[in-house]
Amino acid sequence: MLTSLSIKNYALIDDLQTDFNKGFTIITGETGAGKSILLGALSLILGKRADLSSLKDDSQKCIIEAVFDVTNYNLQAVYQQEDLDYEAQTIIRREILPSGKSRAFVNDSPVTLSSLQTLCDRLIDIHSQHQTTQLTDDGFQFQVIDALAEVEEPLVAYKVQLKSYKSLQKELKKLEDFQAEANKEHEYNTFLLQELIDAKLVDGELESLEEEYETLDNIEAIKEKIGASHQLLSDEQIGGLAILTEVKANFSKIASFSQKYKELYDRIDSSFIELYDIFTEIEASEDALEADPNRLEVVNNRLQLLHNLKKKHLVLDISELIKIQNALDEKVGITENLDKNIQKLKTSIAKQETELNALAKIIHSNRSAVIPTLKSQLETLLSELGMPNAQFSINLKAASTFHSNGKDDLEFLFTANKGGSFKALNKAASGGELSRIMLAIKSVLSKYMQLPTIMFDEIDTGVSGEISNKMGAIMKQMSKSMQVFAITHLPQVAAKGDTHLKVYKEDINHITTTNLIAITGEDRIVEIAQMLGGKEVSASAIAHAKELLN
């Protein structure tokens, strides 16, 4: 419920601070006193766009702040969805700066107008005779039916299932589109993959093949140089081994004479061992060397194949070719398994569709069951509101597709006259009739669900005293379970309020200002008497006012 409202520097208001009570609050005042200014300020709290014309003093910023007690509204999920800090006493503030920039805050955290509207739609509902488009809104009509049908549990299950169902459908569409595209490339990809498989790629193979090719291609030169080197080392008179053997023998005889000679001997011995090892390896290499034209051709062909593959796939080494092979293998594999995956998805979708239909059937059944009750309640209320011939035709039909709230199409048709044809609400009822229909609907809803604070803005315009008395009684009854405001010119309605606020203008230093005060006791009697008979209050008007208040 709305517990307080503060308005600074808005339209004709300098600084206004008002607290509100639960129950039924009446707001009255002369035409032009500024009741619409209050609604304008509240509209800004609800997320309406603002402009500089809202500022009373365009050199100062405008601040509008409302405090709501949301304890009984179960709005934690909405706060979480909009990334807001949940507070049972929620403070909503709008600021309009002289620059024209507007800012919004919820519990001192900046918010977008979209988030503000999402939250405030659950906090306060402003309804005037000119704001009845909601009646023809499909979502609102379902809200009315569902309040009586008690379908919250199956609806939650349905919405969870529908989200999963649509996700699977999206996945299926993606796979089918991919399949259509993949089928075009499948044959070529398969060819490329097979070519790489046949190549039996080995990472690092290219380097070893190139080394082998260089050896085989230069075999004669290699044999010549290795042979000469072998001869230089093995010659019995001048060979490197023979010379080093003699040097080693000389130092072995003097190594014991000093540490210096011993170290030299050890180094010579180590060099001899290393040189001998080199000699044996050269000897083995010389024995192993043999021209092999066939192997040279094989290596050359293999190198040519690998270089061609590198060039074809625009890569620099075998490892990149292997990556391409793996990617092609995965792509070809996916394409070949698509039919299986698509069929699996279709099976899952069919299963979910069956479950959705079962939930939709429960929802439809519950809705159908309460239509006679809703129709009866609305027609009874409208009869009391001066529309004795009002009739509803509420048609609920099973739809062919899944909607966000079930599998139903809903149509509210109405006629205000006997024998009249049923038409859509906005075509079958006048503005005043639509207001009474909305009041009747809100009254019924208040019995079945926790509604936000509602403000009726002169919806009693143009109705008789007897009917306005009933309208006031209905609003009074609604206020037992919710907070209700009524801006009215009718004393019969005003007298029903638990709290009475009066909007008035006053001129201070040649400047007109709008104010709001709570009136009680004699002041309230006088206010209602003036609503009955004008400024000149008669004794009979006072008596009538007291009668209404009692």
Side-chain angles (χ1 to χ4, degrees), residues 221-236 238-242 275-276 278-286 289:
I222 294 169
K223 284 178 74 173
E224 179 188 344
K225 298 301 179 185
I226 288 180
S229 299
H230 182 266
Q231 183 63 35
L232 285 170
L233 288 172
S234 62
D235 188 281
E236 291 183 1
I238 61 168
L241 280 173
L275 187 60
Y276 187 77
I278 291 170
F279 170 74
T280 55
E281 195 164 329
I282 288 173
E283 191 172 46
S285 296
E286 186 178 23
L289 281 172

Side-chain angles (χ1 to χ4, degrees), residues 62-101:
C62 163
I63 302 174
I64 300 169
E65 186 172 280
V67 181
F68 291 89
D69 181 351
V70 299
T71 307
N72 299 322
Y73 286 13
N74 297 318
L75 294 178
Q76 288 86 341
V78 176
Y79 279 74
Q80 186 176 5
Q81 172 192 313
E82 298 300 324
D83 197 24
L84 300 173
D85 294 329
Y86 176 80
E87 296 288 346
Q89 295 294 317
T90 286
I91 302 171
I92 297 174
R93 186 170 79 255
R94 282 293 297 278
E95 296 180 357
I96 307 167
L97 306 181
S99 63
K101 185 178 179 182

Side-chain angles (χ1 to χ4, degrees), residues 165-302:
Y165 174 75
K166 287 186 173 180
S167 176
L168 287 178
Q169 282 190 317
K170 195 178 290 184
E171 192 177 341
L172 176 63
K173 173 81 166 54
K174 187 178 176 182
L175 266 184
E176 288 176 335
D177 289 346
F178 179 78
Q179 185 185 48
E181 194 63 34
N183 284 340
K184 299 175 186 176
E185 302 176 3
H186 181 62
E187 188 175 337
Y188 181 59
N189 287 338
T190 303
F191 166 75
L192 291 177
L193 176 61
Q194 194 57 51
E195 190 177 47
L196 292 172
I197 291 172
D198 291 343
K200 297 177 181 173
L201 302 170
V202 177
D203 196 10
E205 178 190 20
L206 191 62
E207 292 78 5
S208 63
L209 282 173
E210 287 174 340
E211 185 178 319
E212 184 180 1
Y213 177 81
E214 288 299 320
T215 300
L216 290 170
D217 195 42
N218 296 283
I219 192 72
E220 295 302 327
I222 294 169
K223 284 178 74 173
E224 179 188 344
K225 298 301 179 185
I226 288 180
S229 299
H230 182 266
Q231 183 63 35
L232 285 170
L233 288 172
S234 62
D235 188 281
E236 291 183 1
Q237 292 184 356
I238 61 168
L241 280 173
I243 293 170
L244 198 55
T245 299
E246 189 173 339
V247 172
K248 180 184 173 184
N250 288 335
F251 269 86
S252 69
K253 292 175 182 177
I254 64 172
S256 60
F257 296 161
S258 77
Q259 182 62 30
K260 179 181 177 182
Y261 300 147
K262 173 68 170 62
E263 289 174 359
L264 282 170
Y265 171 77
D266 289 341
R267 290 169 66 188
I268 293 166
D269 184 49
S270 177
S271 297
F272 177 79
I273 293 169
E274 177 65 19
L275 187 60
Y276 187 77
D277 187 57
I278 291 170
F279 170 74
T280 55
E281 195 164 329
I282 288 173
E283 191 172 46
S285 296
E286 186 178 23
D287 293 340
L289 281 172
E290 185 178 347
D292 189 347
N294 292 331
R295 177 60 185 166
L296 179 61
E297 185 178 1
V298 168
V299 171
N300 185 49
N301 290 340
R302 178 69 175 168

Side-chain angles (χ1 to χ4, degrees), residues 13 15 58 63 108 153 189 315 338 345 362 364 398 411 431 460 512 536 549:
I13 295 174
D15 190 346
D58 58 16
I63 302 174
D108 286 328
E153 192 173 322
N189 287 338
V315 297
L338 275 176
L345 264 179
I362 293 170
H364 177 84
E411 187 179 41
D460 48 20
T512 302
E536 298 298 326
L549 285 166

Side-chain angles (χ1 to χ4, degrees), residues 5 152 187 238 379 414:
L5 179 66
E152 184 176 356
E187 188 175 337
I238 61 168
E379 288 173 357
F414 177 76

Side-chain angles (χ1 to χ4, degrees), residues 31 33 37 79 90 121 168 180 228 271 379 401 410 469 508 546:
T31 301
I37 294 174
Y79 279 74
T90 286
D121 281 347
L168 287 178
S271 297
E379 288 173 357
T401 57
L410 180 63
N469 190 56
I508 301 174
K546 287 180 179 179

